[in-house]
Amino acid sequence: MRGRALLRLVVVLSVFALVAAACGDDDATTTTGAAATTTTAAAGEDLVFGMILVGPQNDHGWSQAHYEAGQYLEQQLGATMIVLDRVNPADRPETPVEQVIDDMVAQGAQLVFATSDDMKDGALLGAERNPEVPMIWSSGDNAWVDGKDYRADLANLGNVMGRMEYGKMIAGCAAALTTETGKIGYLGPLINDETRRLANSVFLGARYCWENYLGNDPADLEFSVNWIGFWFNIPGVTLDPTVVANDFFDSGVDVIISGIDTTEGLVVAGQRAAGGETVWAVPYDFEGACEEAPEVCLGVPYFNWGPRYLEVAQSVIDGTFTADFQWLGPDWDDINNPETSSVGWLNGDGLGADAATDLETFIAGLADGSINLYVGPLNYQDGSVFLADGEVATDFQIWYTEQLLEGMIGASSAG
Amino acid sequence: MTHRRPVLHFRAGSRLIAVALALGFTSLLVAVAGASPIETFRLLWDGSLGTGDKFANTVMTWVPLVLASAGLVITFSAGLWNIGVEGQIVMGAIAASWVAREVDLGTAGIITLAILAGLAGGLLWGLLAGALRVYGRVNEIFGGLGLDFVATGLVVYLVIGPWKRAGIASTSGTDPFPREAWLPTIGNKLAPIAVILAVLAVVGVYALMRGTYFGLRLKAVGANATSAFIIGIRTHRYLLAAMAIGGALAGVAGTVQVIGFQHKLVPAISGGYGFLGILVVLLAAYRAAFIAPIAFFFVMISVGSSQLSLRLGLDSSIGGVIQGTLVLVAVLVGGWQAQRARHGAVAVED
């Protein structure tokens, strides 16, 4: 009887398989037909590009900023985006990044964006396997000729990153101008070159405004960093950002600045404010991030990937793509210009009028170059010299920041 | 005996009904989400078997699921709810990673050692849960679950601590292993050694359960430990042996995950295949012969479901919904059939 039971199962599965296969053939033909009809359209409309996101496409943070840049390309060029979100080993253990790249290429993608630091291994491998397909690994450095990890052999994999140091300095300034307890908490993701340089930038902006606009002693500003261990919460693996945010507020911090991909810091601040506490937060990454709790939001430093991604897509259409390293700053004429500025800052409802005035002055100073916070003397956390007196940091020094700065509380690396 | 025939007949029928109901329910969900059910199933098929690379990916995902499931057949047969299988996979992965990172003996040497180390890691972790059950009277569900947390804690500690990437503290994963420690592949993905391990596991467990006194006694222990003890079976030994074998196979699954699939250690290295394996074994009614096709079907759904996002814009968690529904419906229909069969049996005896 067991044999018969097995036989039945096999029959059921086979019938299912046959039905699926039969349907598959039909549909494949239709798709081919549709593709053939579009060959007469403009070149941009023929462009199919892949967008690989590390988190959910609606995370109100890092991944959504990329997703909307992809939509921008669709609007501007009439191109078609193939998107896969939540590509990380926790959410999709059976789908490594290189497999997604192969899939997208097989599906006709002529350009692929791998949009997370976490995709390094997969992006390098995927580029190696598909040398004829232009790709971008955002936030990476493999195409930086003077960088530490230059890969001359990968002529098809370029990098794009925004100079978020400016956005973070502005965020730090807004926090320092607002805090009543003099305690600012930075909700950090994992620890690497990128996150250290961004945390440092927040600190530099906060200290500058605390000292210069409020006339306070820098020693009275307490700036602590807590790392959760990844770009977003993975239950059981990372620290829970909601818990970390609550711990910050319990310890007297009244402004949390987020460095993670998602908005827990702002959400917790909104909840605590609803309970009568005087607290604020600064989210990160995405233009619309303040929406989750606008009344406590001081503003948001955000990435605008659209303009550069559009240039890349155009170069692929024109056949002029080169794999280069682009580290792009704000358009200082209008940092919120959606067509020209790679990094922006939007004030939130929680920012007071006086603070907003000072912040405007600060931004103007960054814009005209009269304020440069990466000038020595600056020491690392262990007291070693980062920048000697009067020394202006090079891009290399900023990108590959080795430690947090002196005066910051928190880990520079894992113990 | 005659009255048992209909029972088995119904069982086979219940699978048919379960599959039909689950597919019907899923079709309804997909239709509500605004997509065509036929297109959805076509994409699941195409996305898992459509090209050589996808087929290879599906097979490489199938291997750890089959290994974990094969081990679970043994523990389930012994009446043990081995929820600790996830932790056993992780411990196997950790042990194999250690070999891949630290040992330099050429590909053959590294791989042999890594498989043995992974096997030992899983075996010890399974044995620990078994010992807690047998000697500490800690139910294997709680012991196993506790050990799962310990294993996850250990892997996170290693990834963010001693085995971290230079200058980085991230739970993302270790550096990729040197290429000598990767399982050799045909094409980009397919590692024949992994497939051989999976086939050996299924055949081995089938033979063990069907053709040996060990298997027979194990089933006796699982059916009624007290009676088994009274007729002279040393139940403790059998429980420990079952946990050891189950753990060893799970450990090999972890090994394949690290040296055959991810090529590095990541916190989510188990891939959830331990828990998915429990569903596979439930659907297989604890029988080794069914594991391979059912696991393959499950893996097709898991791997293919990323196509649902890619091409239809559907949330790819629909794959998990299909798997869960299938098991739920199978268990419900099975229970209903069993109840009917009991009434039928009573009627026959009357």
Side-chain angles (χ1 to χ4, degrees):
Chain A
M1 285 317 295
R2 283 201 176 154
R4 210 163 134 189
L6 178 62
L7 187 68
R8 272 167 191 271
L9 186 71
V10 170
V11 168
V12 172
L13 294 181
S14 311
V15 169
F16 174 71
L18 285 172
V19 170
C23 301
D25 288 347
D26 288 354
D27 236 86
T29 327
T30 329
T31 317
T32 322
T37 56
T38 56
T39 44
T40 51
E45 290 175 16
D46 279 345
L47 182 75
V48 177
F49 66 95
M51 181 68 69
I52 311 176
L53 306 172
V54 68
Q57 66 192 38
N58 58 353
D59 66 353
H60 286 214
W62 175 267
S63 291
Q64 188 163 355
H66 286 279
Y67 179 66
E68 296 199 353
Q71 290 179 320
Y72 179 72
L73 262 60
E74 289 189 313
Q75 282 164 16
Q76 296 289 316
L77 296 170
T80 305
M81 169 165 60
I82 312 168
V83 62
L84 191 63
D85 69 350
R86 279 182 276 171
V87 179
N88 65 74
D91 284 320
R92 294 185 191 275
E94 68 289 329
T95 314
V97 173
E98 63 273 18
Q99 175 72 29
V100 179
I101 292 175
D102 291 348
D103 269 7
M104 287 178 165
V105 171
Q107 211 180 316
Q110 299 135 277
L111 166 66
V112 177
F113 295 96
T115 63
S116 172
D117 149 78
D118 191 52
M119 297 175 187
K120 178 179 181 177
D121 302 328
L124 296 177
L125 199 56
E128 213 175 294
R129 277 196 208 161
N130 302 279
E132 75 293 349
V133 182
M135 296 179 200
I136 295 292
W137 168 35
S138 311
S139 83
D141 62 347
N142 65 285
W144 190 3
V145 180
D146 300 323
K148 283 185 185 173
D149 302 309
Y150 179 54
R151 287 280 302 268
D153 58 321
L154 296 178
N156 59 326
L157 184 65
N159 307 126
V160 178
M161 184 60 180
R163 288 185 189 263
M164 184 46 79
E165 294 66 42
Y166 294 111
K168 290 292 190 181
M169 289 175 198
I170 299 168
C173 179
L177 294 171
T178 306
T179 177
E180 292 174 0
T181 61
K183 292 182 177 179
I184 296 172
Y186 188 70
L187 182 59
L190 47 90
I191 313 179
N192 66 10
D193 295 332
E194 175 188 334
T195 65
R196 278 189 292 260
R197 73 173 176 262
L198 293 179
N200 287 351
S201 303
V202 175
F203 173 70
L204 289 173
R207 195 175 64 174
Y208 180 89
C209 296
W210 177 258
E211 196 176 358
N212 291 282
Y213 299 133
L214 301 180
N216 291 329
D217 181 355
D220 293 337
L221 181 68
E222 191 179 306
F223 188 97
S224 35
V225 182
N226 256 328
W227 309 101
I228 64 164
F230 195 62
W231 296 106
F232 46 80
N233 184 32
I234 302 174
V237 173
T238 62
L239 297 181
D240 183 340
T242 301
V243 172
V244 175
N246 276 306
D247 287 349
F248 265 138
F249 287 134
D250 289 340
S251 70
V253 163
D254 64 349
V255 184
I256 287 180
I257 300 174
S258 175
I260 64 174
D261 285 7
T262 47
T263 55
E264 285 88 345
L266 179 65
V267 171
V268 169
Q271 290 162 353
R272 307 273 296 218
E277 292 179 45
T278 313
V279 294
W280 298 271
V282 180
Y284 177 41
D285 289 321
F286 175 61
E287 198 180 349
C290 278
E291 283 163 22
E292 302 233 347
E295 68 289 351
V296 296
C297 187
L298 298 182
V300 59
Y302 65 92
F303 289 99
N304 180 26
W305 302 95
R308 179 58 196 162
Y309 284 6
L310 185 62
E311 286 174 11
V312 170
Q314 194 60 53
S315 76
V316 171
I317 293 167
D318 299 342
T320 58
F321 174 87
T322 48
D324 55 4
F325 170 81
Q326 294 280 341
W327 194 11
L328 302 161
D331 174 358
W332 287 116
D333 290 335
D334 175 5
I335 61 173
N336 294 312
N337 185 331
E339 282 162 20
T340 56
S341 191
S342 291
V343 172
W345 163 271
L346 283 177
N347 283 350
D349 295 350
L351 191 70
D354 290 348
T357 310
D358 286 337
L359 194 64
E360 205 171 316
T361 313
F362 179 68
I363 294 172
L366 290 174
D368 65 21
S370 60
I371 300 174
N372 183 353
L373 303 183
Y374 274 101
V375 179
L378 281 178
N379 284 349
Y380 278 139
Q381 210 175 26
D382 66 359
S384 62
V385 175
F386 169 42
L387 297 172
D389 198 1
E391 184 185 358
V392 179
T394 61
D395 276 358
F396 189 93
Q397 284 171 308
I398 296 176
W399 183 277
Y400 298 107
T401 300
E402 289 166 16
Q403 291 182 30
L404 297 183
L405 296 173
E406 201 170 53
M408 298 168 74
I409 304 165
S412 280
S413 67
Chain B
M1 274 312 283
T2 45
H3 68 269
R4 290 200 62 199
R5 283 179 174 266
V7 179
L8 284 170
H9 181 73
F10 275 132
R11 273 193 185 173
S14 75
R15 295 281 173 284
L16 193 76
I17 296 169
V19 170
L21 278 178
L23 292 183
F25 178 72
T26 316
S27 303
L28 200 70
L29 266 184
V30 170
V32 168
S36 143
I38 290 176
E39 176 71 356
T40 302
F41 291 119
R42 184 189 74 79
L43 282 174
L44 285 178
W45 176 267
D46 231 32
S48 53
L49 305 176
T51 65
D53 244 22
K54 287 196 178 115
F55 176 72
N57 199 41
T58 304
V59 170
M60 289 308 291
T61 309
W62 173 77
V63 167
L65 182 58
V66 163
L67 284 163
S69 304
L72 283 165
V73 166
I74 303 272
T75 49
F76 269 119
S77 300
L80 291 163
W81 280 85
N82 181 18
I83 303 290
V85 59
E86 283 276 310
Q88 292 147 24
I89 296 175
V90 170
M91 293 310 283
I94 290 175
S97 298
W98 183 83
V99 172
R101 290 176 59 89
E102 307 293 339
V103 175
D104 188 10
L105 282 176
T107 297
I110 297 174
I111 287 170
T112 311
L113 268 184
I115 293 170
L116 290 175
L119 187 143
L123 185 147
L124 287 174
W125 215 241
L127 210 52
L128 189 54
L132 281 172
R133 153 78 193 258
V134 169
Y135 302 114
R137 295 184 186 277
V138 177
N139 183 298
E140 73 278 5
I141 294 179
F142 301 115
L145 211 52
L147 290 171
D148 283 351
F149 280 111
V150 176
T152 307
L154 185 60
V155 73
V156 171
Y157 163 75
L158 287 169
V159 164
I160 208 163
W163 290 353
K164 67 176 188 261
R165 295 180 186 227
I168 295 176
S170 165
T171 53
S172 163
T174 63
D175 273 318
F177 302 143
R179 301 254 170 155
E180 301 84 70
W182 296 22
L183 282 181
T185 57
I186 300 173
N188 279 332
K189 292 252 160 193
L190 191 68
I193 296 175
V195 179
I196 292 168
L197 288 171
V199 171
L200 282 179
V202 172
V203 173
V205 168
Y206 182 85
L208 194 66
M209 296 312 294
R210 291 295 296 264
T212 65
Y213 280 116
F214 176 86
L216 196 64
R217 288 185 180 138
L218 200 62
K219 280 189 229 168
V221 172
N224 189 332
T226 316
S227 309
F229 184 73
I230 289 169
I231 62 168
I233 297 174
R234 293 178 176 179
T235 47
H236 284 188
R237 277 194 189 179
Y238 280 84
L239 292 176
L240 287 174
M243 289 302 285
I245 298 171
L249 289 171
V252 177
T255 307
V256 171
Q257 276 289 91
V258 284
I259 63 171
F261 196 80
Q262 298 279 359
H263 305 125
K264 59 183 174 184
L265 185 63
V266 301
I269 195 67
S270 79
Y273 298 137
F275 292 139
L276 198 57
I278 293 175
L279 298 190
V280 169
V281 175
L282 279 178
L283 204 56
Y286 317 137
R287 279 175 290 181
F290 288 163
I291 286 175
I294 292 177
F296 198 82
F297 185 59
F298 270 48
V299 164
M300 277 175 62
I301 295 172
S302 290
V303 174
S305 63
S306 63
Q307 295 297 317
L308 302 183
S309 319
L310 272 173
R311 307 220 182 188
L312 294 183
L314 282 180
D315 194 306
S316 53
S317 59
I318 196 89
V321 174
I322 299 177
Q323 291 165 341
T325 310
L326 200 59
V327 175
L328 193 64
V329 175
V331 170
L332 283 176
V333 173
W336 173 65
Q337 296 285 14
Q339 203 173 12
R340 272 191 53 172
R342 262 200 302 279
H343 287 307
V346 171
V348 171
E349 278 164 12
D350 284 350

